[in-house]
C-alpha cells in the first residue's frame, strides 16, 4: 500500500527566508507525486505535480519540488517565502498499480506560518 | 463556475439522523472521489467512481456510509445514523483519467459536518 510521510508538522519562517518541506513516500514502483496547498478558508489547490521526465518540477507561485527516486522523496522548495504563502501544504502520491493509477494518498500536512 | 461544487457547505445534525451530501464534478472529468478530513490530518480516501461505477471503497467506510453516482454525473454521499465521530470535512474531487494516467484532482470546497 502507498503511504506518505511529512515530518514537519508546523514550520514558522520570516519573510524572505528559504523553504524546504520534506515528503517521503513508500512505494517502490512507478508513482505520480503532488503537492497541494490549502490557504486559510480556501479549498485544496494543486501546487505542482510530477509524472515523469525532469525530476525537478516547477509549480505556481515560485514553488518547485525535486523527485529523488533513490530516497523516495519529493521535497517542496521555495527560495524566498512571502507572508501570502502562509497555508497548509500536503504532499500526495498516486501509485501505478496493476490496474493503473488509482486513488491519491495524502500526507498529514505541514502548516507554514510566514511572519512579516 | 466550472469547478467542483459541493452542497451544503455546512451541516449540523443530531446524532442518529441521516445526512446526504451532493457533489457536482467538472463535467469533462470521468473520475469522482470522496475524501474525509479531520483537524490536523490530511484528506483520507473514502471511495471513488469512474463514470457511474464505484471502483473502490475504503475500509474506513462503514455500512452506514453509501455513495452513488447515477448516470456518471453528480454524486451523493449518505451517512445513516450519524455518530459524533462522523464530524469532519467531507471533500469531493474530480479528475480526468486517460489510459493509465490520472492528471490530478480538482477539489470542491467541502461540506463541514458537525454531529451534536
Amino acid at each position: 500500500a502507498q503511504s506518505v510521510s511529512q515530518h514537519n508538522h508546523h514550520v514558522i519562517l520570516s519573510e524572505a527566508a528559504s523553504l524546504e518541506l520534506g515528503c517521503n513516500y513508500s512505494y517502490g514502483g512507478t508513482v505520480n507525486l503532488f503537492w497541494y496547498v490549502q490557504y486559510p478558508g480556501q479549498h485544496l489547490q494543486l501546487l505542482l505535480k510530477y509524472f515523469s521526465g525532469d525530476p525537478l518540477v516547477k509549480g505556481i507561485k515560485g514553488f518547485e519540488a525535486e523527485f529523488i527516486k533513490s530516497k523516495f522523496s519529493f521535497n517542496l522548495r521555495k527560495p524566498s517565502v512571502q507572508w501570502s504563502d502562509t497555508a497548509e501544504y500536503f504532499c500526495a502520491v498516486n501509485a501505478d498499480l496493476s490496474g493503473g493509477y488509482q486513488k491519491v494518498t495524502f500526507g498529514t500536512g505541514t502548516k507554514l506560518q510566514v511572519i512579516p | 463556475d466550472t469547478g467542483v461544487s459541493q452542497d451544503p457547505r455546512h451541516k449540523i445534525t443530531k446524532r442518529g439522523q441521516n445526512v446526504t451530501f451532493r457533489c457536482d464534478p467538472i463535467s469533462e472529468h470521468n473520475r469522482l472521489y470522496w475524501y474525509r478530513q479531520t483537524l490536523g490530518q490530511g484528506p483520507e480516501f473514502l471511495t471513488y467512481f469512474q463514470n457511474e461505477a464505484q471502483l473502490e471503497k475504503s475500509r474506513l467506510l462503514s455500512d452506514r456510509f453509501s455513495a452513488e453516482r447515477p448516470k456518471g454525473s453528480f454524486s451523493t454521499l449518505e451517512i445513516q445514523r450519524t455518530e459524533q465521530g462522523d464530524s469532519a470535512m467531507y471533500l469531493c474531487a474530480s479528475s480526468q483519467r486517460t489510459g493509465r494516467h490520472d492528471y490530478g484532482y480538482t477539489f470542491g470546497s467541502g461540506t463541514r459536518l458537525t454531529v451534536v
Side-chain angles (χ1 to χ4, degrees), chain A residues 59-75:
Chain A
I60 59 172
K61 304 186 181 185
F63 285 91
E64 65 179 30
E66 185 175 13
F67 170 50
I68 303 179
K69 189 173 182 179
S70 61
K71 294 185 179 180
F72 297 89
S73 70
F74 189 57
N75 292 354

Side-chain angles (χ1 to χ4, degrees), chain B residues 48-79:
Chain B
Y48 84 96
F49 295 82
Q50 177 150 325
N51 301 315
E52 66 274 12
Q54 188 173 18
L55 295 188
E56 187 177 348
K57 288 175 61 171
S58 165
R59 275 169 265 177
L60 290 176
L61 221 60
S62 76
D63 291 343
R64 297 184 296 106
F65 288 70
S66 62
E68 294 182 341
R69 193 184 182 197
K71 303 177 185 177
S73 56
F74 71 91
S75 176
T76 57
L77 178 68
E78 181 184 16
I79 309 174

